[in-house]
Amino acid sequence: MKKILLCLVAMAAGQCIVLAQVNYLPGVVITRQNDSLRGLINVKNWVTNPGEIDFKSDKESASHLYKATEINGFVIPQENKVYLSKEFIADVTYYETSTLKEQAMSVESLDTTAFVEQLVGGSYPLYTYTDVHHRDHYLFEAPGRPVTELVYIKTIVATDDGSGLYERKIYQQQLDTLFQDDPQLAKQNRFLGYYEKPLVKAFLAYNKFKDPTHAEEIIQKKKVRNPVWFGVMAGVGFNSYKSQGPFYMANGNSYKSSVNPMLGIFIDIPFPGSSRKFSLYNELLYKTISTSSVLVGPVYNDYAGDIVSFGFGYAQLNIMAQYTYPKGIVRPFIHVGMGNAIVVKTNKNDYYDVDAKKHETAVDGIRKHEESAILGIGVKASRLQVEARFSTGSGWLSYSSSNITSKALQIVAGFRL
């Protein structure tokens, strides 16, 4: 067991080191004095815009944390990304059309300083910001004006026919006012959609109209909206066992419960367009089980009072569907799926004859493949997650009519790398 645990720990540690090395890319920090500091920036698959970055001048130097309030921004040339520190107010109210009746009527506003991603440069730049609900916001800046959100409001209104979704496309009025000195452009964009591509096109055209020499589009790689997540997990299983069938080690015998550890790695693969609500959650883990029983039976049976002990180490692959509630910092989630495990180590398979005071193999040819049904519920906060999980096991006896099955309450903690 120790060797397998060490192997899994080494795999997780190695993966963490590799990811840490890949995340450091050449970059430039722009100070408040508009000086450029060249070095390495820890570039992560940010789901929301960062409020701080990790910077070091070279591979050997210590890292330094820069908050958005401390620098003007940073550039990642390799990714063609420009992030600027901006103070702004945005409507970050969460709306989901599939659960209208559950939506709050109040508006949630965010007043913050964060790194916004620049999409268009020039005198009238366009920025984008993704909030904690994975909702994209578009913001612009103009001479003499602070950073302003292009406002797109979805709200619920009550009518005689019931509640419904109402959209207020205030951003179209904002663009009409902003582009008023170019009537043709204003007319073209009067019914503009609230998406990156048309907004970039509109702001690029207006910057060229105002000053053709200073308009530029920040050409960037396609955003990974829902990246695949890797992580490590560890937990403990509270196992109980049930015997059934005519085989004398199963029939009428009570097996002791046990508490056993588990350790492994996971990969969380989101379904397309689900904003991480639905994903395929897979685990590769090592777990153990252990139990024993004092056999019962009529006194004339040779085995009455003898002791059997079992202990196995399993390598298990769990494949589960995951639903995560998409709102809030602490997010509940549910797992439903199945597991398949293989015995990789036999710790105990012992039969102790009390009268003869002799040990021998309890069961020849144990069943090495175990199938499990899994149901779990838990919560996530940032990179951490905790889950309570119910799991069943198909047992290790290879007889068709007899078996010793298991049920487990598992407490599992995970950390996303």
Side-chain angles (χ1 to χ4, degrees), residues 25 36-37 43 68 81 108 160 168 225 227 256 288 326 364 399 409:
L25 298 178
S36 298
L37 302 179
V43 179
K81 289 181 180 285
E108 181 184 355
D160 294 337
R168 292 188 63 196
R225 302 300 305 131
K256 291 182 179 180
T288 61
D364 292 320
Y399 307 113
L409 172 64

Side-chain angles (χ1 to χ4, degrees), residues 103-119:
Q103 297 299 320
M105 299 297 291
S106 60
V107 174
E108 181 184 355
S109 294
L110 175 70
D111 187 348
T112 188
T113 299
F115 293 114
V116 295
E117 188 173 355
Q118 186 177 31
L119 300 177

Side-chain angles (χ1 to χ4, degrees), residues 2-46:
K2 290 182 179 179
K3 291 182 179 179
I4 295 176
L5 289 175
L6 289 173
C7 181
L8 287 170
V9 170
M11 288 170 62
Q15 185 179 34
C16 184
I17 292 172
V18 169
L19 288 174
Q21 290 174 340
V22 171
N23 281 343
Y24 275 98
L25 298 178
V28 180
V29 167
I30 307 168
T31 69
R32 286 299 187 191
Q33 294 75 34
N34 284 323
D35 294 327
S36 298
L37 302 179
R38 297 186 179 276
L40 299 171
I41 297 176
N42 191 8
V43 179
K44 305 174 184 178
N45 285 327
W46 291 302

Side-chain angles (χ1 to χ4, degrees), residues 63-94:
S63 62
H64 182 83
L65 205 63
Y66 284 110
K67 296 182 179 180
T69 55
E70 298 174 337
I71 59 176
N72 284 345
F74 63 95
V75 181
I76 310 295
Q78 184 174 323
E79 299 287 334
N80 293 320
K81 289 181 180 285
V82 177
Y83 288 88
L84 298 179
S85 173
K86 297 294 178 181
E87 183 179 358
F88 60 93
I89 299 175
D91 174 10
V92 294
T93 307
Y94 177 76

Side-chain angles (χ1 to χ4, degrees), residues 302-359:
D302 292 338
Y303 58 80
D306 292 349
I307 302 171
V308 289
S309 302
F310 297 103
F312 305 104
Y314 289 88
Q316 181 164 328
L317 175 66
N318 294 334
I319 301 176
M320 295 176 282
Q322 177 180 257
Y323 171 79
T324 304
Y325 184 67
K327 183 179 180 181
I329 297 175
V330 178
R331 303 185 178 191
F333 66 88
I334 297 173
H335 281 155
V336 179
M338 61 179 296
N340 284 276
I342 298 293
V343 174
V344 293
K345 186 175 182 181
T346 300
N347 299 313
K348 272 192 177 182
N349 182 13
D350 182 70
Y351 184 98
Y352 179 61
D353 188 324
V354 174
D355 293 333
K357 294 181 172 51
K358 181 178 66 175
H359 290 272

Side-chain angles (χ1 to χ4, degrees), residues 5 31 43 52 61 66 91 109 113 124-125 143 154 163 167 191 203-204 208 247 267-268 277 338 347 349 372 380:
L5 289 175
T31 69
V43 179
E52 58 188 23
S61 64
Y66 284 110
D91 174 10
S109 294
T113 299
Y124 297 83
K154 291 181 180 178
S163 298
E167 296 179 285
F191 302 102
F203 272 83
L204 189 59
K208 288 182 177 179
F247 182 55
I267 177 172
D268 185 355
K277 287 188 297 183
M338 61 179 296
N347 299 313
N349 182 13
S372 301
K380 298 180 181 182

Side-chain angles (χ1 to χ4, degrees), residues 153-312:
I153 295 177
K154 291 181 180 178
T155 188
I156 300 165
V157 295
T159 66
D160 294 337
D161 299 326
S163 298
L165 183 67
Y166 175 69
E167 296 179 285
R168 292 188 63 196
K169 300 181 179 181
I170 299 176
Y171 71 94
Q172 293 179 345
Q173 302 170 18
Q174 291 174 287
L175 293 176
D176 196 48
T177 302
L178 181 64
F179 299 157
Q180 62 183 339
D181 54 343
D182 186 351
Q184 183 178 356
L185 182 61
K187 183 178 180 181
Q188 289 174 354
N189 295 292
R190 194 154 292 163
F191 302 102
L192 201 67
Y194 199 76
Y195 305 105
E196 180 176 312
K197 187 175 180 179
L199 288 171
V200 165
K201 184 178 179 181
F203 272 83
L204 189 59
Y206 188 63
N207 275 280
K208 288 182 177 179
F209 168 76
K210 298 294 287 187
D211 187 353
T213 63
H214 286 86
E216 61 172 324
E217 179 182 4
I218 308 300
I219 307 299
Q220 56 187 309
K221 293 185 178 180
K222 185 177 181 181
K223 292 182 181 179
V224 180
R225 302 300 305 131
N226 294 312
V228 174
W229 286 346
F230 297 88
V232 293
M233 48 84 69
V236 61
F238 299 87
N239 301 292
S240 61
Y241 306 91
K242 180 180 179 181
S243 61
Q244 55 189 8
F247 182 55
Y248 75 97
M249 290 187 192
N251 185 23
N253 291 293
S254 176
Y255 282 82
K256 291 182 179 180
S257 300
S258 63
V259 180
N260 302 95
M262 52 197 297
L263 178 68
I265 57 178
F266 70 81
I267 177 172
D268 185 355
I269 307 172
F271 294 150
S274 67
S275 296
R276 297 213 79 91
K277 287 188 297 183
F278 297 98
S279 61
L280 183 65
Y281 188 90
N282 299 327
E283 294 174 337
L284 179 61
L285 59 88
Y286 179 80
K287 72 172 187 179
T288 61
I289 62 170
S290 57
T291 187
S292 62
S293 178
V294 178
L295 300 181
V296 297
V299 294
Y300 55 81
N301 284 342
D302 292 338
Y303 58 80
D306 292 349
I307 302 171
V308 289
S309 302
F310 297 103
F312 305 104

